[in-house]
Amino acid sequence: MQIQGADYTDKNVIALLSGLSAGEEIKIPGDKISDAIRKLWKQGMFEDIQVLQDKIIGNDLFLIIKVVERPRLTKFKFRGDVKKSDAEDLRAKIKLMQERVVTDYMIGNIKNIVREFYVNKGYYFAKVNVLTEKDTAARTPHITLTIDVRKGKTVRIQDIFIKGNTTITSAVLRRSLEESKAFRWYFPFNSGKYLEENLEKDLPGIVEKYNAKGFRDARISKDTVYFVSQDRVAIEITVEEGKKYYFGKFKWYGNTKYRNGQLDTILNIKPGTVYNRSKLEQKLFMNPNGYDISSLYLDDGYLFFQANQQESNIHNDTIDFDILMYEGKQATINKVTIKGNDKTNDHVIYREIRTRPGQLFRRTDIMRTQRELAQLGYFDPEKLDIRPTPNPADGTVDIEYVVEEKPSDQIELSGGWGGRTVSQAGGQQGLGIIGTLGVSFTNFSTRNIFKREAWRPLPSGDGQKLSIRAQTNGPTYQSYNFSFTEPWLGGKKPNSLTFSFFHSVFSNGAKKYYKTETDDKVENPARAHMLVTGTSLGFGRRLKWPDNYFSMYNSVSYNHYDLKNWTSFIFSNGTANDLNFGLNISRNSVDAPIYPKSGSNFVFNAQLTPPYSLFNGKDYTNMEPAERYKYIEYQKYKFTAEWFTQLTNQKAAEGKEARNAVLRTKIGYGFLGMYNKEVGLSPFERFYMGGSGISGFQNFVAREIIGLRGYPDNSISSSVGDPIVARYTLELRYPVSLNPQATIFLLGFAEAGNTWRNFRSFNPFDVKRSAGFGMRVFLPMFGMLGIDYGWGFDSVPGKPGIGNGQGQFHFTIGGTLGEL
């Protein structure tokens, strides 16, 4: 048997698929020949199939199977209304490859996949056509496919009508439809697209709304969708509310660890309370807002605990429940393993894990471990997974923590504006445009510095932080910074050690030296400068009391100021020395570093210098400023409180992000005090308020810039700074993307703040108010980028043209807004 015309298909395969084999007896005419043609035709690989008689020798028949192969695919492309991102997604769905046989089934399948793709995006009238073109350059039959797409208009929801509701308003019920909302042009976050699958997922939300109000038997009797125009639909939903029910008595069975009264207290549902099935389930299992029955048991090792509720009696409008308990044995932790850390060393993760082999299983330890791993900043918090594997036979559990590394090192390439104003001496104050270049390695490893194989590109994995940074505006300002942090000094306890050093040069741009006629190198009398050199050493540790969210950080810092002809300060020539001791006590329960959804952060900070004037015996009454401030003395205190509250509870579909709105609330107060009235308030470390809080912060290191959006930089405080500051902030945040490669969220803000010259004038409610909106983008290589537009509502005395409803842009690169 010969096979002819098969240039690509294996001839042995064709013979096998035909069902004909050498030595087989057949009848002519007979069914076996037609069956062979049918079998080959089913494969869809050939345009024409013939079975021909070659010759007959005696009783031996020689056959020829002659085929014409279908053309194969050279390439394919999209045409029409196809965006680049859509094309990438479609390529992954249709999975076409070169040299694949092009069949009618393939072309039909392509049409169906592409059309379904656009229908799922709301384009119900999308038209897809697949055009074929012969590839004349190929020696064998090949074709090129062009997938032509005409999306048409997006079908949007015009109105949603709800019928049959008497106890809950239609507006409230419509809000329970998470994804299916009527299109309104003035609501930018709602596209109003009609998607059938979204409506199917949303309809149970209406029933849940009724269940929460006690209507246990509520149901949707009918839902109808109809077109009201070519690109608009209306949705009509009919509900049957049923009867309103109330909780009755609860009886507990099977509980031996805790008494009925203890369980009733935690359940906290009194007879006569409106029936709410979801509330009962939350009180039994995983209550997000407080304690529940399962937490009580799971935090005491009862991993195998179960609780089943049954309606035991329904009388009139009251439902009694029986809660059937199975406590089981207390489970101990057997193995704890980590998976997915291809950069961070195991010991860095293990030291943050609160679940240890041999300990009783506790759910709170797992939740705390999840937070600690997210706070490291090395892993994608959305991909953190915890997989407990119970072993009921021996009463143990294995726990596996699955992480996914994300880029955490940063390259800082930023710009800021230091201001430009003319001084009384005719020179300029401020620094204009300042460029910053820096690198920050947040997962560094010093012990691997001398290992050649560890440089990929840098030794990493031990959780140490190394930062090197340089700033300049050209001739008049340069600054160099270095810092290093070891988070686990000694490797056994979470005690951190931080060392930092910086050197800054401010000048009028004149050269430091010049050459005389005799070629001697002499100091330039026209040069004015201020040199600032500083270093600090800090030691931090985690506290167990009042709870283990507290930490304390102690530091000692020294800054040396050298001024020459520097007329823009309180004295022009001389030196100043700032030796201060810092104390920072904080309680931080925030769940994630980049986009927090829950938790709080309280910080108390004290910065104290020695009270030199109380023991040096000097008379400060008529002392020159250069001598008065040679040894700087002050006491500075700050307190901030910050809360994050998740406002929505969207659940993420598989492979997608859960995007929830978050409210950030923050208050902050700062006070700068003195030891001796004769010395007075220090000109160093004062508060300056206004603007983004980063512009101009390099202009003088011994000042603290506090942001207040909606007003120009440093416009709220006096020109020499003030010793008292207060700020209040509300931010409503909504994430656009929680991808660790590019975290993006939008925000609207309202904030208020002010500074005061003394305690007599201090009034925490006498503030300058502002509001606006903005956006944040976090890129691992550059850190947080931000832009805000704010309106300042209040006037600033002595500064016309500021506030009074005027708008102000605030743009930051590689920095965050001035904090307090």
PDB file of all heavy atoms in Angstrom, residues 160 162-178 180-181 202-203 205-211 213 237 239 241:
ATOM      1  N   ILE A 160     -31.764  49.663  37.004  1.00  0.00           N
ATOM      2  CA  ILE A 160     -32.051  48.415  37.711  1.00  0.00           C
ATOM      3  C   ILE A 160     -33.338  48.636  38.501  1.00  0.00           C
ATOM      4  O   ILE A 160     -33.402  49.510  39.374  1.00  0.00           O
ATOM      5  CB  ILE A 160     -30.894  48.022  38.656  1.00  0.00           C
ATOM      6  CG1 ILE A 160     -29.597  47.824  37.859  1.00  0.00           C
ATOM      7  CG2 ILE A 160     -31.245  46.754  39.428  1.00  0.00           C
ATOM      8  CD1 ILE A 160     -28.377  47.553  38.731  1.00  0.00           C
ATOM      9  N   ILE A 162     -36.294  47.071  40.965  1.00  0.00           N
ATOM     10  CA  ILE A 162     -36.549  46.011  41.944  1.00  0.00           C
ATOM     11  C   ILE A 162     -38.015  46.075  42.345  1.00  0.00           C
ATOM     12  O   ILE A 162     -38.524  47.140  42.745  1.00  0.00           O
ATOM     13  CB  ILE A 162     -35.629  46.157  43.165  1.00  0.00           C
ATOM     14  CG1 ILE A 162     -34.162  46.049  42.710  1.00  0.00           C
ATOM     15  CG2 ILE A 162     -35.944  45.088  44.211  1.00  0.00           C
ATOM     16  CD1 ILE A 162     -33.146  46.215  43.808  1.00  0.00           C
ATOM     17  N   LYS A 163     -38.674  44.934  42.267  1.00  0.00           N
ATOM     18  CA  LYS A 163     -40.099  44.851  42.572  1.00  0.00           C
ATOM     19  C   LYS A 163     -40.331  43.891  43.729  1.00  0.00           C
ATOM     20  O   LYS A 163     -39.561  42.955  43.946  1.00  0.00           O
ATOM     21  CB  LYS A 163     -40.875  44.379  41.340  1.00  0.00           C
ATOM     22  CG  LYS A 163     -40.777  45.322  40.144  1.00  0.00           C
ATOM     23  CD  LYS A 163     -41.613  44.810  38.982  1.00  0.00           C
ATOM     24  CE  LYS A 163     -41.574  45.786  37.804  1.00  0.00           C
ATOM     25  NZ  LYS A 163     -42.399  45.297  36.669  1.00  0.00           N
ATOM     26  N   GLY A 164     -41.412  44.134  44.449  1.00  0.00           N
ATOM     27  CA  GLY A 164     -41.794  43.248  45.537  1.00  0.00           C
ATOM     28  C   GLY A 164     -41.191  43.604  46.872  1.00  0.00           C
ATOM     29  O   GLY A 164     -41.494  42.966  47.883  1.00  0.00           O
ATOM     30  N   ASN A 165     -40.312  44.583  46.927  1.00  0.00           N
ATOM     31  CA  ASN A 165     -39.675  44.966  48.190  1.00  0.00           C
ATOM     32  C   ASN A 165     -40.515  46.019  48.904  1.00  0.00           C
ATOM     33  O   ASN A 165     -40.920  47.020  48.322  1.00  0.00           O
ATOM     34  CB  ASN A 165     -38.270  45.506  47.925  1.00  0.00           C
ATOM     35  CG  ASN A 165     -38.238  46.678  46.952  1.00  0.00           C
ATOM     36  OD1 ASN A 165     -38.836  46.605  45.870  1.00  0.00           O
ATOM     37  ND2 ASN A 165     -37.559  47.734  47.336  1.00  0.00           N
ATOM     38  N   THR A 166     -40.732  45.767  50.193  1.00  0.00           N
ATOM     39  CA  THR A 166     -41.486  46.725  51.003  1.00  0.00           C
ATOM     40  C   THR A 166     -40.719  47.154  52.245  1.00  0.00           C
ATOM     41  O   THR A 166     -40.934  48.254  52.754  1.00  0.00           O
ATOM     42  CB  THR A 166     -42.840  46.117  51.434  1.00  0.00           C
ATOM     43  OG1 THR A 166     -42.599  44.910  52.170  1.00  0.00           O
ATOM     44  CG2 THR A 166     -43.723  45.816  50.230  1.00  0.00           C
ATOM     45  N   THR A 167     -39.834  46.300  52.736  1.00  0.00           N
ATOM     46  CA  THR A 167     -39.124  46.623  53.990  1.00  0.00           C
ATOM     47  C   THR A 167     -37.735  47.198  53.753  1.00  0.00           C
ATOM     48  O   THR A 167     -37.190  47.883  54.621  1.00  0.00           O
ATOM     49  CB  THR A 167     -38.990  45.361  54.868  1.00  0.00           C
ATOM     50  OG1 THR A 167     -38.286  44.348  54.134  1.00  0.00           O
ATOM     51  CG2 THR A 167     -40.361  44.844  55.279  1.00  0.00           C
ATOM     52  N   ILE A 168     -37.135  46.928  52.625  1.00  0.00           N
ATOM     53  CA  ILE A 168     -35.817  47.468  52.291  1.00  0.00           C
ATOM     54  C   ILE A 168     -35.948  48.258  51.001  1.00  0.00           C
ATOM     55  O   ILE A 168     -36.525  47.765  50.014  1.00  0.00           O
ATOM     56  CB  ILE A 168     -34.761  46.358  52.126  1.00  0.00           C
ATOM     57  CG1 ILE A 168     -34.666  45.513  53.404  1.00  0.00           C
ATOM     58  CG2 ILE A 168     -33.394  46.944  51.808  1.00  0.00           C
ATOM     59  CD1 ILE A 168     -33.679  44.365  53.309  1.00  0.00           C
ATOM     60  N   THR A 169     -35.430  49.455  50.979  1.00  0.00           N
ATOM     61  CA  THR A 169     -35.581  50.318  49.800  1.00  0.00           C
ATOM     62  C   THR A 169     -34.800  49.776  48.617  1.00  0.00           C
ATOM     63  O   THR A 169     -33.807  49.042  48.774  1.00  0.00           O
ATOM     64  CB  THR A 169     -35.102  51.746  50.112  1.00  0.00           C
ATOM     65  OG1 THR A 169     -33.697  51.719  50.369  1.00  0.00           O
ATOM     66  CG2 THR A 169     -35.828  52.325  51.317  1.00  0.00           C
ATOM     67  N   SER A 170     -35.239  50.154  47.429  1.00  0.00           N
ATOM     68  CA  SER A 170     -34.562  49.717  46.207  1.00  0.00           C
ATOM     69  C   SER A 170     -33.128  50.220  46.158  1.00  0.00           C
ATOM     70  O   SER A 170     -32.226  49.522  45.682  1.00  0.00           O
ATOM     71  CB  SER A 170     -35.335  50.204  44.980  1.00  0.00           C
ATOM     72  OG  SER A 170     -36.618  49.625  44.926  1.00  0.00           O
ATOM     73  N   ALA A 171     -32.905  51.433  46.662  1.00  0.00           N
ATOM     74  CA  ALA A 171     -31.543  51.994  46.638  1.00  0.00           C
ATOM     75  C   ALA A 171     -30.589  51.136  47.458  1.00  0.00           C
ATOM     76  O   ALA A 171     -29.452  50.874  47.043  1.00  0.00           O
ATOM     77  CB  ALA A 171     -31.557  53.433  47.168  1.00  0.00           C
ATOM     78  N   VAL A 172     -31.036  50.679  48.623  1.00  0.00           N
ATOM     79  CA  VAL A 172     -30.182  49.827  49.466  1.00  0.00           C
ATOM     80  C   VAL A 172     -29.924  48.493  48.786  1.00  0.00           C
ATOM     81  O   VAL A 172     -28.791  47.981  48.776  1.00  0.00           O
ATOM     82  CB  VAL A 172     -30.846  49.626  50.845  1.00  0.00           C
ATOM     83  CG1 VAL A 172     -30.079  48.577  51.654  1.00  0.00           C
ATOM     84  CG2 VAL A 172     -30.889  50.940  51.606  1.00  0.00           C
ATOM     85  N   LEU A 173     -30.936  47.919  48.181  1.00  0.00           N
ATOM     86  CA  LEU A 173     -30.768  46.636  47.497  1.00  0.00           C
ATOM     87  C   LEU A 173     -29.861  46.769  46.286  1.00  0.00           C
ATOM     88  O   LEU A 173     -29.054  45.873  45.990  1.00  0.00           O
ATOM     89  CB  LEU A 173     -32.128  46.074  47.091  1.00  0.00           C
ATOM     90  CG  LEU A 173     -33.052  45.673  48.250  1.00  0.00           C
ATOM     91  CD1 LEU A 173     -34.402  45.219  47.722  1.00  0.00           C
ATOM     92  CD2 LEU A 173     -32.415  44.577  49.101  1.00  0.00           C
ATOM     93  N   ARG A 174     -29.958  47.872  45.569  1.00  0.00           N
ATOM     94  CA  ARG A 174     -29.089  48.077  44.407  1.00  0.00           C
ATOM     95  C   ARG A 174     -27.626  48.175  44.840  1.00  0.00           C
ATOM     96  O   ARG A 174     -26.733  47.726  44.129  1.00  0.00           O
ATOM     97  CB  ARG A 174     -29.512  49.327  43.637  1.00  0.00           C
ATOM     98  CG  ARG A 174     -30.694  49.098  42.704  1.00  0.00           C
ATOM     99  CD  ARG A 174     -30.861  50.267  41.738  1.00  0.00           C
ATOM    100  NE  ARG A 174     -31.361  51.448  42.419  1.00  0.00           N
ATOM    101  CZ  ARG A 174     -32.637  51.810  42.466  1.00  0.00           C
ATOM    102  NH1 ARG A 174     -33.555  51.066  41.876  1.00  0.00           N
ATOM    103  NH2 ARG A 174     -33.003  52.911  43.104  1.00  0.00           N
ATOM    104  N   ARG A 175     -27.386  48.770  46.012  1.00  0.00           N
ATOM    105  CA  ARG A 175     -26.009  48.884  46.485  1.00  0.00           C
ATOM    106  C   ARG A 175     -25.409  47.520  46.835  1.00  0.00           C
ATOM    107  O   ARG A 175     -24.191  47.363  46.837  1.00  0.00           O
ATOM    108  CB  ARG A 175     -25.931  49.805  47.704  1.00  0.00           C
ATOM    109  CG  ARG A 175     -26.019  51.277  47.342  1.00  0.00           C
ATOM    110  CD  ARG A 175     -25.511  52.154  48.488  1.00  0.00           C
ATOM    111  NE  ARG A 175     -26.380  52.065  49.662  1.00  0.00           N
ATOM    112  CZ  ARG A 175     -27.420  52.849  49.878  1.00  0.00           C
ATOM    113  NH1 ARG A 175     -27.751  53.775  48.986  1.00  0.00           N
ATOM    114  NH2 ARG A 175     -28.149  52.718  50.984  1.00  0.00           N
ATOM    115  N   SER A 176     -26.251  46.531  47.116  1.00  0.00           N
ATOM    116  CA  SER A 176     -25.730  45.197  47.422  1.00  0.00           C
ATOM    117  C   SER A 176     -25.263  44.458  46.172  1.00  0.00           C
ATOM    118  O   SER A 176     -24.626  43.405  46.281  1.00  0.00           O
ATOM    119  CB  SER A 176     -26.799  44.371  48.150  1.00  0.00           C
ATOM    120  OG  SER A 176     -27.889  44.093  47.296  1.00  0.00           O
ATOM    121  N   LEU A 177     -25.579  44.965  44.998  1.00  0.00           N
ATOM    122  CA  LEU A 177     -25.057  44.401  43.743  1.00  0.00           C
ATOM    123  C   LEU A 177     -23.660  44.973  43.525  1.00  0.00           C
ATOM    124  O   LEU A 177     -23.501  46.104  43.080  1.00  0.00           O
ATOM    125  CB  LEU A 177     -25.984  44.751  42.577  1.00  0.00           C
ATOM    126  CG  LEU A 177     -27.439  44.276  42.711  1.00  0.00           C
ATOM    127  CD1 LEU A 177     -28.290  44.828  41.575  1.00  0.00           C
ATOM    128  CD2 LEU A 177     -27.503  42.753  42.736  1.00  0.00           C
ATOM    129  N   GLU A 178     -22.650  44.207  43.848  1.00  0.00           N
ATOM    130  CA  GLU A 178     -21.277  44.723  43.878  1.00  0.00           C
ATOM    131  C   GLU A 178     -20.778  45.151  42.500  1.00  0.00           C
ATOM    132  O   GLU A 178     -20.183  46.214  42.337  1.00  0.00           O
ATOM    133  CB  GLU A 178     -20.332  43.663  44.457  1.00  0.00           C
ATOM    134  CG  GLU A 178     -20.609  43.308  45.911  1.00  0.00           C
ATOM    135  CD  GLU A 178     -20.132  44.386  46.858  1.00  0.00           C
ATOM    136  OE1 GLU A 178     -19.414  45.290  46.412  1.00  0.00           O
ATOM    137  OE2 GLU A 178     -20.486  44.319  48.049  1.00  0.00           O
ATOM    138  N   SER A 180     -22.701  44.824  39.384  1.00  0.00           N
ATOM    139  CA  SER A 180     -23.744  45.201  38.421  1.00  0.00           C
ATOM    140  C   SER A 180     -24.416  46.481  38.899  1.00  0.00           C
ATOM    141  O   SER A 180     -25.314  46.443  39.747  1.00  0.00           O
ATOM    142  CB  SER A 180     -24.771  44.067  38.278  1.00  0.00           C
ATOM    143  OG  SER A 180     -24.124  42.867  37.903  1.00  0.00           O
ATOM    144  N   LYS A 181     -23.973  47.600  38.359  1.00  0.00           N
ATOM    145  CA  LYS A 181     -24.500  48.903  38.765  1.00  0.00           C
ATOM    146  C   LYS A 181     -24.858  49.712  37.528  1.00  0.00           C
ATOM    147  O   LYS A 181     -24.207  49.581  36.488  1.00  0.00           O
ATOM    148  CB  LYS A 181     -23.482  49.648  39.622  1.00  0.00           C
ATOM    149  CG  LYS A 181     -23.168  48.935  40.947  1.00  0.00           C
ATOM    150  CD  LYS A 181     -22.261  49.762  41.830  1.00  0.00           C
ATOM    151  CE  LYS A 181     -21.914  49.019  43.116  1.00  0.00           C
ATOM    152  NZ  LYS A 181     -23.098  48.780  43.970  1.00  0.00           N
ATOM    153  N   ASP A 202     -23.874  38.581  41.709  1.00  0.00           N
ATOM    154  CA  ASP A 202     -24.382  39.667  42.550  1.00  0.00           C
ATOM    155  C   ASP A 202     -25.754  39.396  43.153  1.00  0.00           C
ATOM    156  O   ASP A 202     -26.076  39.890  44.240  1.00  0.00           O
ATOM    157  CB  ASP A 202     -24.450  40.970  41.738  1.00  0.00           C
ATOM    158  CG  ASP A 202     -23.075  41.559  41.485  1.00  0.00           C
ATOM    159  OD1 ASP A 202     -22.128  41.149  42.179  1.00  0.00           O
ATOM    160  OD2 ASP A 202     -22.957  42.424  40.599  1.00  0.00           O
ATOM    161  N   LEU A 203     -26.592  38.624  42.454  1.00  0.00           N
ATOM    162  CA  LEU A 203     -27.972  38.431  42.910  1.00  0.00           C
ATOM    163  C   LEU A 203     -28.062  37.846  44.322  1.00  0.00           C
ATOM    164  O   LEU A 203     -28.925  38.266  45.111  1.00  0.00           O
ATOM    165  CB  LEU A 203     -28.737  37.553  41.910  1.00  0.00           C
ATOM    166  CG  LEU A 203     -29.101  38.230  40.581  1.00  0.00           C
ATOM    167  CD1 LEU A 203     -29.772  37.245  39.643  1.00  0.00           C
ATOM    168  CD2 LEU A 203     -30.002  39.437  40.817  1.00  0.00           C
ATOM    169  N   GLY A 205     -26.413  38.604  46.750  1.00  0.00           N
ATOM    170  CA  GLY A 205     -26.204  39.703  47.678  1.00  0.00           C
ATOM    171  C   GLY A 205     -27.505  40.319  48.149  1.00  0.00           C
ATOM    172  O   GLY A 205     -27.607  40.801  49.282  1.00  0.00           O
ATOM    173  N   ILE A 206     -28.524  40.314  47.285  1.00  0.00           N
ATOM    174  CA  ILE A 206     -29.831  40.841  47.679  1.00  0.00           C
ATOM    175  C   ILE A 206     -30.459  39.942  48.739  1.00  0.00           C
ATOM    176  O   ILE A 206     -30.998  40.411  49.747  1.00  0.00           O
ATOM    177  CB  ILE A 206     -30.748  40.967  46.444  1.00  0.00           C
ATOM    178  CG1 ILE A 206     -30.224  42.087  45.530  1.00  0.00           C
ATOM    179  CG2 ILE A 206     -32.190  41.229  46.852  1.00  0.00           C
ATOM    180  CD1 ILE A 206     -31.045  42.300  44.286  1.00  0.00           C
ATOM    181  N   VAL A 207     -30.350  38.626  48.526  1.00  0.00           N
ATOM    182  CA  VAL A 207     -30.890  37.681  49.512  1.00  0.00           C
ATOM    183  C   VAL A 207     -30.138  37.821  50.831  1.00  0.00           C
ATOM    184  O   VAL A 207     -30.741  37.792  51.913  1.00  0.00           O
ATOM    185  CB  VAL A 207     -30.791  36.245  48.973  1.00  0.00           C
ATOM    186  CG1 VAL A 207     -31.283  35.248  50.015  1.00  0.00           C
ATOM    187  CG2 VAL A 207     -31.599  36.105  47.690  1.00  0.00           C
ATOM    188  N   GLU A 208     -28.811  37.983  50.774  1.00  0.00           N
ATOM    189  CA  GLU A 208     -28.022  38.148  51.996  1.00  0.00           C
ATOM    190  C   GLU A 208     -28.437  39.420  52.740  1.00  0.00           C
ATOM    191  O   GLU A 208     -28.445  39.453  53.975  1.00  0.00           O
ATOM    192  CB  GLU A 208     -26.535  38.198  51.645  1.00  0.00           C
ATOM    193  CG  GLU A 208     -25.971  36.873  51.182  1.00  0.00           C
ATOM    194  CD  GLU A 208     -24.545  36.987  50.694  1.00  0.00           C
ATOM    195  OE1 GLU A 208     -23.958  38.095  50.821  1.00  0.00           O
ATOM    196  OE2 GLU A 208     -24.003  35.993  50.176  1.00  0.00           O
ATOM    197  N   LYS A 209     -28.757  40.472  51.989  1.00  0.00           N
ATOM    198  CA  LYS A 209     -29.209  41.718  52.624  1.00  0.00           C
ATOM    199  C   LYS A 209     -30.509  41.472  53.407  1.00  0.00           C
ATOM    200  O   LYS A 209     -30.673  41.960  54.541  1.00  0.00           O
ATOM    201  CB  LYS A 209     -29.408  42.795  51.564  1.00  0.00           C
ATOM    202  CG  LYS A 209     -29.837  44.144  52.101  1.00  0.00           C
ATOM    203  CD  LYS A 209     -28.750  44.786  52.948  1.00  0.00           C
ATOM    204  CE  LYS A 209     -27.583  45.239  52.098  1.00  0.00           C
ATOM    205  NZ  LYS A 209     -26.588  45.978  52.918  1.00  0.00           N
ATOM    206  N   TYR A 210     -31.429  40.703  52.816  1.00  0.00           N
ATOM    207  CA  TYR A 210     -32.667  40.376  53.521  1.00  0.00           C
ATOM    208  C   TYR A 210     -32.398  39.468  54.721  1.00  0.00           C
ATOM    209  O   TYR A 210     -32.981  39.645  55.802  1.00  0.00           O
ATOM    210  CB  TYR A 210     -33.656  39.710  52.559  1.00  0.00           C
ATOM    211  CG  TYR A 210     -34.520  40.705  51.815  1.00  0.00           C
ATOM    212  CD1 TYR A 210     -34.258  41.030  50.498  1.00  0.00           C
ATOM    213  CD2 TYR A 210     -35.595  41.322  52.454  1.00  0.00           C
ATOM    214  CE1 TYR A 210     -35.057  41.936  49.809  1.00  0.00           C
ATOM    215  CE2 TYR A 210     -36.394  42.235  51.780  1.00  0.00           C
ATOM    216  CZ  TYR A 210     -36.128  42.546  50.461  1.00  0.00           C
ATOM    217  OH  TYR A 210     -36.901  43.463  49.799  1.00  0.00           O
ATOM    218  N   ASN A 211     -31.525  38.467  54.522  1.00  0.00           N
ATOM    219  CA  ASN A 211     -31.205  37.559  55.632  1.00  0.00           C
ATOM    220  C   ASN A 211     -30.655  38.320  56.822  1.00  0.00           C
ATOM    221  O   ASN A 211     -30.942  37.987  57.978  1.00  0.00           O
ATOM    222  CB  ASN A 211     -30.189  36.512  55.177  1.00  0.00           C
ATOM    223  CG  ASN A 211     -30.759  35.509  54.188  1.00  0.00           C
ATOM    224  OD1 ASN A 211     -30.025  34.824  53.498  1.00  0.00           O
ATOM    225  ND2 ASN A 211     -32.084  35.415  54.112  1.00  0.00           N
ATOM    226  N   LYS A 213     -31.472  41.149  57.772  1.00  0.00           N
ATOM    227  CA  LYS A 213     -32.558  41.888  58.418  1.00  0.00           C
ATOM    228  C   LYS A 213     -33.599  40.954  59.032  1.00  0.00           C
ATOM    229  O   LYS A 213     -34.653  41.410  59.480  1.00  0.00           O
ATOM    230  CB  LYS A 213     -33.249  42.796  57.394  1.00  0.00           C
ATOM    231  CG  LYS A 213     -32.343  43.847  56.770  1.00  0.00           C
ATOM    232  CD  LYS A 213     -31.971  44.925  57.767  1.00  0.00           C
ATOM    233  CE  LYS A 213     -31.176  46.043  57.098  1.00  0.00           C
ATOM    234  NZ  LYS A 213     -30.810  47.101  58.062  1.00  0.00           N
ATOM    235  N   ILE A 237     -35.651  42.950  38.742  1.00  0.00           N
ATOM    236  CA  ILE A 237     -35.502  41.890  39.744  1.00  0.00           C
ATOM    237  C   ILE A 237     -36.742  41.891  40.621  1.00  0.00           C
ATOM    238  O   ILE A 237     -37.126  42.925  41.176  1.00  0.00           O
ATOM    239  CB  ILE A 237     -34.246  42.119  40.603  1.00  0.00           C
ATOM    240  CG1 ILE A 237     -32.996  42.164  39.714  1.00  0.00           C
ATOM    241  CG2 ILE A 237     -34.105  41.046  41.666  1.00  0.00           C
ATOM    242  CD1 ILE A 237     -31.753  42.629  40.438  1.00  0.00           C
ATOM    243  N   VAL A 239     -38.480  40.266  44.006  1.00  0.00           N
ATOM    244  CA  VAL A 239     -38.138  39.562  45.247  1.00  0.00           C
ATOM    245  C   VAL A 239     -39.401  39.178  45.995  1.00  0.00           C
ATOM    246  O   VAL A 239     -40.454  39.821  45.874  1.00  0.00           O
ATOM    247  CB  VAL A 239     -37.244  40.437  46.155  1.00  0.00           C
ATOM    248  CG1 VAL A 239     -35.945  40.782  45.469  1.00  0.00           C
ATOM    249  CG2 VAL A 239     -37.968  41.696  46.608  1.00  0.00           C
ATOM    250  N   GLU A 241     -40.128  38.680  49.912  1.00  0.00           N
ATOM    251  CA  GLU A 241     -39.463  38.949  51.175  1.00  0.00           C
ATOM    252  C   GLU A 241     -39.710  37.874  52.226  1.00  0.00           C
ATOM    253  O   GLU A 241     -38.817  37.511  52.983  1.00  0.00           O
ATOM    254  CB  GLU A 241     -39.911  40.311  51.722  1.00  0.00           C
ATOM    255  CG  GLU A 241     -39.466  41.469  50.845  1.00  0.00           C
ATOM    256  CD  GLU A 241     -39.910  42.803  51.405  1.00  0.00           C
ATOM    257  OE1 GLU A 241     -40.939  42.830  52.120  1.00  0.00           O
ATOM    258  OE2 GLU A 241     -39.233  43.815  51.147  1.00  0.00           O
TER     259      GLU A 241
END
